[in-house]
Amino acid sequence: MSSNPLAASYSPIPQFDLAGQFAAIGAEIREAVERVLSSQQFILGREGAALEEEVARFCGVAHGVGVGSGTDALVLALRSCGVGVGDEVILPPFTFVATGSAVSALGAKPVFADINPTTYNIDAAQLARRVTPRTRAIVVVHLYGLAADMDPIMEFARSRNLPVVEDAAQAIGAGYKGRRTGSLGDVACFSFYPTKNLGACGDAGMIVTNSTERDERLRILRNHGQTGKYVSSEPGWNGRLDEMQAAILRVKLRHIAGWQRARQAHAAEYTRHFAQIPGIMPPLVPEGYEHVFHQYTVRVEERDKLQRVLSEKKIGSAVYYPVPLHLQPLYASLGHKEGDFPHAEHAAQEVLSLPMYPELRPAQLTRVAEAVTEFVRH
């Protein structure tokens, strides 16, 4: 398929672009940064405490604990669930490596359960065949901005007395049957990496929970296990959220509802273009769910070829994620092979995330949709 001869005259459309966001709220960001600089309080101060309260309220839970990154959030959350050396944790193989490496960091073994091929989230029906006497927790990833089907997952977990950790790094604000991610499991983890729907100007993360006991322990764990000044009750590490990032995130949290509506409107327009075109599978939004479209991810058989064609037309795209965890070199010692988790493997070969950010303009969206449609039809 030849490239469009007019492509050279087009402005590039990146898969993700933060410049427009900063142009709109830059003055607010600078004011927040200046406030922190004037206070000269940079760690465990007022901004972090306020953000914890605001994010917890947004999620509909009692407690928020600010941490240094989404990975810190996962490691600390799993630690608060009692995960340690020799334990097993069930999780999907179709996710970013941090979901698995957080388990490994604690000396535990990741045990993979395949995904639902239409939502890309862990399939609750797979849990029973993956659980063993060594299973200590279940990690549920809400991928691309869509919540997993939590009712059967929680029913299974309760029947086995297993805690459920939500990896909601891509899904802040997503809804499931009238509740938001963060309130669906026992403890939930958010990443505020800059490209997330709520992104810091660097690394940052948050853990939320309704458990007062867990909240208290997480605050100890994130600060070197200290229960008092220079008194540590257990091994911990530096997993604190700094004040600068907290202040910036507080500004952005005020805008997240509007950004979410923009993402949903863009997604609806993409889907309108693709709905009647064989060969393109747009994202599924089941009844009772609210998708926040961290990514707008389609499924196409000749994915790699489509990505090359889009690149020729100066249209950005990304593959999240091309190698499932069970086939990563990191986990070669687990002995998995191709075919072990077929839904995850097929998804990894066919998914493609198109440009998606609140500031995406209608003409840009139309250009992307038409380029994808032209490729599939030819």
Side-chain angles (χ1 to χ4, degrees):
M1 183 176 178
S2 62
S3 61
N4 187 334
L6 298 178
S9 66
Y10 289 154
S11 297
I13 303 175
Q15 198 267 333
F16 185 80
D17 184 14
L18 279 170
Q21 182 187 98
F22 186 72
I25 65 170
E28 295 175 71
I29 297 292
R30 290 187 179 95
E31 181 183 345
V33 169
E34 187 64 36
R35 187 170 68 241
V36 175
L37 291 173
S38 297
S39 76
Q40 287 295 292
Q41 187 170 16
F42 300 112
I43 301 291
L44 297 181
R46 296 177 183 175
E47 299 291 344
L51 180 68
E52 289 171 345
E53 292 179 5
E54 290 160 8
V55 170
R57 189 181 314 119
F58 180 81
C59 295
V61 298
H63 307 288
V65 181
V67 293
S69 67
T71 302
D72 276 351
L74 286 165
V75 173
L76 290 166
L78 288 165
R79 175 83 176 273
S80 77
C81 293
V83 174
V85 176
D87 292 330
E88 295 180 353
V89 177
I90 299 174
L91 65 151
F94 193 53
T95 180
F96 183 54
V97 69
T99 312
S101 60
V103 175
S104 302
L106 294 170
K109 175 186 174 182
V111 174
F112 302 115
D114 211 353
I115 60 168
N116 179 304
T118 57
T119 67
Y120 310 118
N121 290 323
I122 195 167
D123 183 357
Q126 300 293 318
L127 297 175
R129 68 187 67 177
R130 308 305 294 161
V131 72
T132 77
R134 293 194 299 275
T135 305
R136 183 56 66 94
I138 299 169
V139 177
V140 175
V141 180
H142 305 307
L143 200 66
Y144 299 148
L146 179 70
D149 188 6
M150 292 298 292
D151 282 353
I153 293 169
M154 294 305 295
E155 182 180 355
F156 175 83
R158 294 290 177 257
S159 73
R160 302 299 182 106
N161 196 30
L162 293 171
V164 173
V165 177
E166 296 176 69
D167 181 344
Q170 299 185 0
I172 190 166
Y176 176 79
K177 299 183 179 181
R179 298 167 62 196
R180 279 181 172 160
T181 53
S183 68
L184 306 173
D186 296 289
V187 59
C189 304
F190 294 102
S191 168
F192 300 136
Y193 187 77
T195 59
K196 296 296 192 288
N197 289 23
L198 179 63
C201 293
D203 277 314
M206 182 77 68
I207 308 167
V208 299
T209 183
N210 272 317
S211 167
T212 299
E213 180 183 355
R214 193 183 304 276
D215 170 68
E216 292 172 351
R217 181 146 187 254
L218 287 165
R219 293 179 188 282
I220 292 169
L221 289 172
R222 74 170 176 185
N223 192 24
H224 300 287
Q226 293 182 98
T227 52
K229 192 169 185 178
Y230 304 127
V231 177
S232 294
S233 59
E234 63 175 310
W237 52 88
N238 177 6
R240 302 172 303 225
L241 172 65
D242 75 70
E243 288 289 279
M244 199 78 75
Q245 300 300 344
I248 291 167
L249 287 163
R250 292 185 69 202
V251 171
K252 292 191 174 187
L253 186 59
R254 298 198 294 264
H255 295 274
I256 195 170
W259 293 338
Q260 182 170 308
R261 288 191 296 270
R263 287 175 178 273
Q264 290 167 336
H266 297 335
E269 186 64 13
Y270 271 139
T271 298
R272 186 185 68 80
H273 279 275
F274 300 146
Q276 304 303 320
I277 300 174
I280 304 176
M281 177 180 161
L284 173 72
V285 185
E287 184 75 23
Y289 292 64
E290 183 174 7
H291 201 315
V292 294
F293 295 100
H294 172 61
Q295 302 293 340
Y296 185 90
T297 302
V298 298
R299 195 159 175 171
V300 181
E301 282 190 9
E302 293 185 290
R303 187 268 315 284
D304 294 341
K305 186 176 180 182
L306 171 58
Q307 189 170 33
R308 288 194 297 271
V309 168
L310 293 178
S311 180
E312 291 171 4
K313 298 187 176 193
K314 299 185 179 180
I315 296 171
S317 62
V319 178
Y320 304 103
Y321 296 96
V323 182
L325 297 195
H326 68 287
L327 299 180
Q328 291 280 351
L330 170 65
Y331 292 121
S333 64
L334 297 180
H336 292 299
K337 61 185 185 303
E338 289 188 16
D340 284 354
F341 303 99
H343 293 313
E345 292 169 30
H346 293 160
Q349 294 164 4
E350 296 180 351
V351 294
L352 187 66
S353 294
L354 302 179
M356 173 55 74
Y357 39 95
E359 299 78 19
L360 193 66
R361 298 190 302 276
Q364 292 176 310
L365 193 152
T366 298
R367 188 173 132 208
V368 175
E370 289 178 349
V372 174
T373 300
E374 180 186 1
F375 173 85
V376 174
R377 281 180 167 165
H378 288 79

